Amino acid sequence: MSLNSNIPEGPVTEKWTNHKMNSKLINPANKRKYNIIVVGSGLAGASAAATLSELGYKIKCFCYQDSPRRAHSIAAQGGINAAKNYQNDGDSVQRLFYDTVKGGDFRSREANVHRLAEVSVNIIDQATAQGVPFAREYGGLLANRSFGGAQVSRTFYARGQTGQQLLLGAYQALEKEINNGGVEMFTRTEMVDLVVVDGHAKGIVVRDMRNGKIKSYAADTVILATGGYGNVFYLSTNAMGCNASAAVKAWKKGAYFANPCYTQIHPTCIPVSGDYQSKLTLMSESLRNDGRIWAPAKKEDAQAIREGKKTAADIPDEDRDYYLERKYPSFGNLAPRDISSRAAKEACDDGRGVSKTGLGVYLDFRDPIERLGEDAIRARYGNLFQMYEKIAGTNPYKEPMMIYPAVHYTMGGLWVDYNLQSNLTGLHVLGEANFSDHGANRLGASALMQGLADGYFVIPTTIANYLATQKPGSVTIDHPEFTEAEKAVSDSINKLMSIQGTKTVDHFHREMGLLTWDKCGMDRRKEGLEEAITKIKALREEFYNDVRIPGTAESINMELEKAMRVADFLEFAEMLYEDALDREESCGGHFRGEYQFTEDSPEVKSGKTQPGEALRDDDNFCYVSAWEYRGYNQTPALHKEVLEYENVKLAIRSYA
Amino acid sequence: MAKLNLTLKIWRQPSPDNDGWIETRKANGIPTEASFLEMLDIVNQEILEEGADPIHFDHDCREGICGMCSLTINGVPHSKEEGVTTCQVHMRKFNDGDTIWIEPFRANAFPVMKDLIVDRTSFDNIIAAGGYIDVRTGSAPDANSVPIPKDQADWAFDAATCIGCGACVASCKNSSAMLFVSAKASHLNTLPQGQPEKDKRVLAMVRQMDEEGFGNCTNQYECEAACPKLISADNISKLNRDFALASAKEAVATV
């Protein structure tokens, strides 16, 4: 199958305008005849469900949590970008577009990114009208701050709870539509399969997590807004329940999965402290507006700190290595995430880590507190400092925070065209679950922007291009595909329940996570990835022979829920490694140890970059990798969408 | 790393239709760095190795923002620590040899589903009744077209930080949801954008709250003390004022 991205004709600045004009329309009286399934109720899912319902479509929305308000978008801290240029600091749609393409290390689709930058301004208007309490100046107008990879202040924020406030805005819009009768909401309900009829996605099979009942729902189109796959690493900043099952089910039914190797490791998380640990906590990138990141310049100082013989305060300024400021003077502590994470790893690999495990560096507020006073810092970051103190048990106003990179976001996702439609006709994918806008690395404060852009402004227009070709209600759950899918689901659940082995689900999840972090984390290499592929096959075998799930499938059973998700991750992980193996270059969140600039590189000698920076290969890898499922234990097949850059010149990404 | 040996007294209930009971269980060798929920994870791994049914509890983000975790720890929702959710409670706050009582959030409007899991759909129903500003996507004016005084914006924000966990209800002897309802009403009623629907909103939300089976408020403010986001009971006073005014207007209008 060929991949047609359906990018509209014309200059990039006019594509979206033209596309809106050329998109099909469905008249208001006909809209209510169409049923749409939305899986997921985070920023993308809730905003899409609410907006499509406002337009008149009939929506069924599903989430695994007890309420749509719990979706993990709620945990986003720092902010949301928009090219409003309220600061008069030279921002524009064009600049946000450029920063995002460059931040993504030239591996995103230009047309999609430009559209994202265009609608970014509408999101802020929409959210403000809903009552989202963005930070304001004393004059009553909206405030901004800066995020990584940008030299302008375009990030809107609501203290350190921007995701919460934006999600509550979308959630309230969703509840309004539930009240109006346009949306039927299904909580504690997990999608367990996608139903494809004559090549079109026409429904889903779900498991009611309260009683284990398997049930089907048919619709005219299916929207997945189910987030990312960060939990394949076991430890991540994702919520415990975040999973890739909906995406994996779609992949197994024919939807291509794009660029899984682009995983974002966030530089500022609270370091791992023990093997009982269940998740990692992010400290917002916004802290890097004022906080300074450093490690001791001398290994012996770092060792003394690890042994508790010295503290940060004992290290004089000349013995501190503010490595981001040193290596990237123009962006300093606001260097992008992938670059900042690798720099932290480099310092720790060099024996200069400061936490007990050796895997930690400082994020220090001593200087801004001296300059601005403790109250000013409390006003900006109070809740984040409090969160840190609760978890780490030390006072960050007095001692620097200790941080280390952790898995945070996944740029890869189901392949979609310009209409956000999968190669699997009738399936639409929004938010983190798709792949198109962030390339190989997402800039801070761009996830909220993309989720809401897709849900509020893109899909309400583009979905009609598919629906207008469909007779409403043409497929019902009486179709044999639904019966078959339900039976397959019941069989797989029975199979899992009947294994009754000796190891817990968490055991397998943890093993997979360690393997993925070790071989497919911040530094990937050919041998390691090949070893991981062999090991994951064995682990999967062991899982199906030796996992133990207690209780019954006909009631609330958290072990079964986890087992079903882990089973999907075990298949997904292999594709992730395959993709990382195939991409013989370093770009953004995908760093292959074999491909980096060295002392001898001409670009280093001419001062364009530094040794250790990612070495991209535009001649051979300027494409989207879209993987096709070919069966259990089969290597997936690779399809390529070539990326064409007409507006941005491919260049070495420099933040120096 | 210091370790704790604890005795847990845990509420077990297989389903809504079964009676529940308190189960006693040892939790030995718990690292002080672990969070409270990680302590339960460790206990659950042991239970699983014994081949029994693990302790079921709600949880998701584990960083105090999603509002899904919901335990009553030693009689206090989210524990006696101030301004934290259960997932943010750390074992370093306990002593070796402690006995810890772990129960669900109890309220008629929050029926137990299994063990420590309760059904809080009633909160969603209250929001659906009126906890929003009715603004169609695409029809919003420029975000800076309405300046909002900073103190007003800050008040609205403080109310808006509610995570909908239900600790306020669980801590109240009447199982009243007034703090939850007033936080949302206060957030929206304070902002200029929320004025057109102000009366309609409070009437609808309060009536839905009553319909869901929550009790009445008798101004003891246990809710404020239990709230992990430290939401002020002043919001309840504001809700009472807004509700009285809206009811009066409604009565006049229907005469």
Side-chain angles (χ1 to χ4, degrees), chain B residues 40-71:
Chain B
L40 286 181
D41 290 342
I42 294 170
V43 171
N44 270 342
Q45 290 303 302
E46 289 171 12
I47 295 178
L48 285 165
E49 273 154 28
E50 294 159 13
D53 203 21
I55 303 154
H56 280 64
F57 56 92
D58 265 332
H59 64 109
D60 206 19
C61 79
R62 295 206 178 187
E63 50 189 87
I65 195 76
C66 77
M68 194 137 172
C69 66
S70 59
L71 307 180

CSV table of all heavy atoms in Angstrom, one decimal, chain B residues 40-71:
chain,number,residue,atom,x,y,z
B,40,LEU,N,1.6,-0.3,49.1
B,40,LEU,CA,0.6,-1.2,48.8
B,40,LEU,C,1.0,-2.1,47.6
B,40,LEU,O,0.6,-3.3,47.5
B,40,LEU,CB,-0.7,-0.5,48.5
B,40,LEU,CG,-1.5,0.1,49.7
B,40,LEU,CD1,-2.8,0.8,49.2
B,40,LEU,CD2,-1.8,-0.9,50.7
B,41,ASP,N,1.7,-1.5,46.6
B,41,ASP,CA,2.2,-2.4,45.5
B,41,ASP,C,3.1,-3.5,46.0
B,41,ASP,O,2.9,-4.7,45.6
B,41,ASP,CB,3.2,-1.5,44.6
B,41,ASP,CG,2.4,-0.5,43.8
B,41,ASP,OD1,1.2,-0.6,43.7
B,41,ASP,OD2,3.1,0.4,43.3
B,42,ILE,N,3.9,-3.2,47.0
B,42,ILE,CA,4.8,-4.3,47.6
B,42,ILE,C,4.0,-5.3,48.2
B,42,ILE,O,4.2,-6.5,48.0
B,42,ILE,CB,5.8,-3.6,48.6
B,42,ILE,CG1,6.8,-2.7,47.8
B,42,ILE,CG2,6.6,-4.7,49.3
B,42,ILE,CD1,7.7,-1.8,48.7
B,43,VAL,N,3.0,-4.9,49.0
B,43,VAL,CA,2.1,-5.9,49.7
B,43,VAL,C,1.3,-6.7,48.7
B,43,VAL,O,1.2,-7.9,48.8
B,43,VAL,CB,1.1,-5.1,50.6
B,43,VAL,CG1,0.1,-6.1,51.2
B,43,VAL,CG2,1.9,-4.4,51.8
B,44,ASN,N,0.9,-6.0,47.6
B,44,ASN,CA,0.1,-6.7,46.6
B,44,ASN,C,1.0,-7.8,45.9
B,44,ASN,O,0.5,-8.9,45.5
B,44,ASN,CB,-0.5,-5.8,45.6
B,44,ASN,CG,-1.8,-5.3,46.0
B,44,ASN,OD1,-2.5,-5.9,46.8
B,44,ASN,ND2,-2.3,-4.2,45.4
B,45,GLN,N,2.3,-7.5,45.6
B,45,GLN,CA,3.1,-8.5,45.0
B,45,GLN,C,3.2,-9.7,45.9
B,45,GLN,O,3.2,-10.9,45.4
B,45,GLN,CB,4.5,-7.9,44.7
B,45,GLN,CG,4.6,-6.9,43.6
B,45,GLN,CD,4.0,-7.4,42.3
B,45,GLN,OE1,4.5,-8.3,41.7
B,45,GLN,NE2,3.0,-6.7,41.8
B,46,GLU,N,3.3,-9.5,47.2
B,46,GLU,CA,3.3,-10.6,48.1
B,46,GLU,C,2.0,-11.4,48.1
B,46,GLU,O,2.0,-12.7,48.1
B,46,GLU,CB,3.6,-10.2,49.6
B,46,GLU,CG,5.0,-9.6,49.8
B,46,GLU,CD,5.2,-9.0,51.2
B,46,GLU,OE1,4.3,-9.1,52.0
B,46,GLU,OE2,6.2,-8.3,51.4
B,47,ILE,N,0.9,-10.7,48.1
B,47,ILE,CA,-0.4,-11.4,48.0
B,47,ILE,C,-0.5,-12.2,46.7
B,47,ILE,O,-1.0,-13.3,46.7
B,47,ILE,CB,-1.6,-10.3,48.1
B,47,ILE,CG1,-1.6,-9.6,49.4
B,47,ILE,CG2,-2.9,-11.0,47.8
B,47,ILE,CD1,-2.6,-8.6,49.6
B,48,LEU,N,0.0,-11.6,45.6
B,48,LEU,CA,0.0,-12.3,44.3
B,48,LEU,C,0.8,-13.6,44.4
B,48,LEU,O,0.4,-14.6,43.8
B,48,LEU,CB,0.4,-11.4,43.2
B,48,LEU,CG,-0.6,-10.4,42.8
B,48,LEU,CD1,0.1,-9.3,41.9
B,48,LEU,CD2,-1.7,-11.0,42.0
B,49,GLU,N,2.0,-13.5,45.0
B,49,GLU,CA,2.8,-14.7,45.1
B,49,GLU,C,2.2,-15.8,46.0
B,49,GLU,O,2.4,-16.9,45.8
B,49,GLU,CB,4.2,-14.3,45.7
B,49,GLU,CG,5.1,-13.8,44.5
B,49,GLU,CD,6.2,-12.9,44.9
B,49,GLU,OE1,6.6,-12.9,46.1
B,49,GLU,OE2,6.6,-12.1,44.1
B,50,GLU,N,1.3,-15.3,46.9
B,50,GLU,CA,0.5,-16.3,47.6
B,50,GLU,C,-0.7,-16.9,46.8
B,50,GLU,O,-1.4,-17.8,47.3
B,50,GLU,CB,-0.1,-15.7,48.9
B,50,GLU,CG,1.0,-15.3,49.9
B,50,GLU,CD,0.5,-14.2,50.9
B,50,GLU,OE1,-0.8,-14.0,51.0
B,50,GLU,OE2,1.3,-13.6,51.6
B,51,GLY,N,-0.9,-16.3,45.7
B,51,GLY,CA,-2.0,-16.8,44.8
B,51,GLY,C,-3.4,-16.2,45.2
B,51,GLY,O,-4.4,-16.7,44.7
B,52,ALA,N,-3.4,-15.1,46.0
B,52,ALA,CA,-4.7,-14.5,46.4
B,52,ALA,C,-5.0,-13.3,45.6
B,52,ALA,O,-4.2,-12.8,44.8
B,52,ALA,CB,-4.6,-14.3,47.9
B,53,ASP,N,-6.1,-12.7,45.9
B,53,ASP,CA,-6.6,-11.5,45.2
B,53,ASP,C,-6.0,-10.3,45.8
B,53,ASP,O,-6.1,-10.1,47.0
B,53,ASP,CB,-8.1,-11.5,45.3
B,53,ASP,CG,-8.7,-10.7,44.1
B,53,ASP,OD1,-8.0,-10.5,43.1
B,53,ASP,OD2,-9.9,-10.2,44.3
B,54,PRO,N,-5.3,-9.5,45.0
B,54,PRO,CA,-4.6,-8.3,45.6
B,54,PRO,C,-5.6,-7.2,46.0
B,54,PRO,O,-6.8,-7.3,45.7
B,54,PRO,CB,-3.8,-7.8,44.4
B,54,PRO,CG,-4.5,-8.3,43.2
B,54,PRO,CD,-5.1,-9.6,43.6
B,55,ILE,N,-5.1,-6.3,46.8
B,55,ILE,CA,-6.0,-5.2,47.3
B,55,ILE,C,-6.2,-4.3,46.2
B,55,ILE,O,-5.3,-3.7,45.6
B,55,ILE,CB,-5.2,-4.5,48.5
B,55,ILE,CG1,-4.9,-5.4,49.6
B,55,ILE,CG2,-6.1,-3.3,49.0
B,55,ILE,CD1,-3.7,-4.9,50.4
B,56,HIS,N,-7.5,-4.0,45.8
B,56,HIS,CA,-7.8,-3.2,44.7
B,56,HIS,C,-8.0,-1.7,45.2
B,56,HIS,O,-8.7,-1.5,46.2
B,56,HIS,CB,-9.1,-3.6,44.0
B,56,HIS,CG,-8.8,-4.8,43.1
B,56,HIS,ND1,-8.4,-6.0,43.5
B,56,HIS,CD2,-9.0,-4.8,41.7
B,56,HIS,CE1,-8.3,-6.8,42.4
B,56,HIS,NE2,-8.6,-6.1,41.3
B,57,PHE,N,-7.3,-0.8,44.5
B,57,PHE,CA,-7.5,0.6,44.9
B,57,PHE,C,-7.4,1.4,43.6
B,57,PHE,O,-6.8,1.0,42.6
B,57,PHE,CB,-6.5,1.1,45.9
B,57,PHE,CG,-5.0,0.8,45.5
B,57,PHE,CD1,-4.3,1.8,44.8
B,57,PHE,CD2,-4.4,-0.4,45.8
B,57,PHE,CE1,-3.0,1.6,44.5
B,57,PHE,CE2,-3.1,-0.6,45.4
B,57,PHE,CZ,-2.4,0.4,44.8
B,58,ASP,N,-8.0,2.6,43.6
B,58,ASP,CA,-7.9,3.5,42.4
B,58,ASP,C,-6.6,4.3,42.5
B,58,ASP,O,-6.3,4.8,43.6
B,58,ASP,CB,-9.1,4.4,42.4
B,58,ASP,CG,-10.2,3.9,41.5
B,58,ASP,OD1,-10.0,3.2,40.6
B,58,ASP,OD2,-11.4,4.3,41.8
B,59,HIS,N,-6.0,4.5,41.4
B,59,HIS,CA,-4.8,5.4,41.3
B,59,HIS,C,-4.5,5.6,39.9
B,59,HIS,O,-4.9,4.8,39.0
B,59,HIS,CB,-3.6,4.6,42.0
B,59,HIS,CG,-3.2,3.4,41.3
B,59,HIS,ND1,-2.1,3.3,40.6
B,59,HIS,CD2,-3.9,2.2,41.1
B,59,HIS,CE1,-2.0,2.1,40.0
B,59,HIS,NE2,-3.1,1.4,40.3
B,60,ASP,N,-3.8,6.6,39.5
B,60,ASP,CA,-3.3,6.7,38.1
B,60,ASP,C,-2.1,7.6,38.0
B,60,ASP,O,-1.0,7.0,37.8
B,60,ASP,CB,-4.4,7.3,37.2
B,60,ASP,CG,-4.2,6.8,35.8
B,60,ASP,OD1,-3.5,5.8,35.6
B,60,ASP,OD2,-4.8,7.4,34.9
B,61,CYS,N,-2.2,8.9,38.2
B,61,CYS,CA,-1.0,9.7,37.8
B,61,CYS,C,0.1,9.6,38.9
B,61,CYS,O,1.3,9.7,38.6
B,61,CYS,CB,-1.4,11.2,37.7
B,61,CYS,SG,-1.6,12.1,39.3
B,62,ARG,N,-0.2,9.3,40.1
B,62,ARG,CA,0.7,9.2,41.2
B,62,ARG,C,1.6,10.4,41.4
B,62,ARG,O,2.8,10.3,41.8
B,62,ARG,CB,1.6,7.9,41.1
B,62,ARG,CG,0.8,6.6,41.2
B,62,ARG,CD,1.5,5.5,41.7
B,62,ARG,NE,0.7,4.3,41.8
B,62,ARG,CZ,1.1,3.2,42.4
B,62,ARG,NH1,2.3,3.0,42.8
B,62,ARG,NH2,0.2,2.2,42.5
B,63,GLU,N,1.0,11.6,41.0
B,63,GLU,CA,1.8,12.8,41.3
B,63,GLU,C,0.8,13.9,41.9
B,63,GLU,O,1.1,15.1,41.8
B,63,GLU,CB,2.6,13.3,40.2
B,63,GLU,CG,1.9,13.4,38.9
B,63,GLU,CD,2.9,13.7,37.7
B,63,GLU,OE1,3.5,12.7,37.1
B,63,GLU,OE2,3.1,14.9,37.4
B,64,GLY,N,-0.4,13.4,42.3
B,64,GLY,CA,-1.2,14.4,43.1
B,64,GLY,C,-2.1,15.3,42.2
B,64,GLY,O,-2.5,16.3,42.7
B,65,ILE,N,-2.3,14.9,41.0
B,65,ILE,CA,-3.1,15.9,40.2
B,65,ILE,C,-4.3,15.2,39.5
B,65,ILE,O,-5.3,15.9,39.2
B,65,ILE,CB,-2.2,16.5,39.1
B,65,ILE,CG1,-2.8,17.8,38.5
B,65,ILE,CG2,-1.7,15.6,38.0
B,65,ILE,CD1,-2.9,19.0,39.4
B,66,CYS,N,-4.3,13.9,39.3
B,66,CYS,CA,-5.5,13.4,38.5
B,66,CYS,C,-6.7,13.2,39.4
B,66,CYS,O,-7.8,13.1,38.9
B,66,CYS,CB,-5.1,12.1,37.9
B,66,CYS,SG,-5.0,10.6,38.9
B,67,GLY,N,-6.5,13.1,40.7
B,67,GLY,CA,-7.6,12.9,41.6
B,67,GLY,C,-8.2,11.5,41.8
B,67,GLY,O,-9.3,11.3,42.3
B,68,MET,N,-7.5,10.6,41.2
B,68,MET,CA,-8.1,9.2,41.2
B,68,MET,C,-7.9,8.5,42.5
B,68,MET,O,-8.7,7.7,42.9
B,68,MET,CB,-7.5,8.4,40.0
B,68,MET,CG,-8.3,7.2,39.7
B,68,MET,SD,-8.6,6.9,38.0
B,68,MET,CE,-9.3,5.3,37.9
B,69,CYS,N,-6.7,8.7,43.2
B,69,CYS,CA,-6.5,7.9,44.4
B,69,CYS,C,-7.3,8.5,45.5
B,69,CYS,O,-7.7,9.6,45.6
B,69,CYS,CB,-5.0,7.9,44.7
B,69,CYS,SG,-4.3,9.5,45.2
B,70,SER,N,-7.7,7.6,46.4
B,70,SER,CA,-8.8,7.9,47.3
B,70,SER,C,-8.8,7.1,48.6
B,70,SER,O,-9.9,6.5,48.9
B,70,SER,CB,-10.1,7.7,46.6
B,70,SER,OG,-10.1,6.3,46.2
B,71,LEU,N,-7.8,7.0,49.3
B,71,LEU,CA,-7.9,6.2,50.5
B,71,LEU,C,-8.1,7.0,51.8
B,71,LEU,O,-7.6,8.1,51.9
B,71,LEU,CB,-6.6,5.4,50.7
B,71,LEU,CG,-6.2,4.5,49.5
B,71,LEU,CD1,-4.9,3.8,49.8
B,71,LEU,CD2,-7.3,3.6,49.1
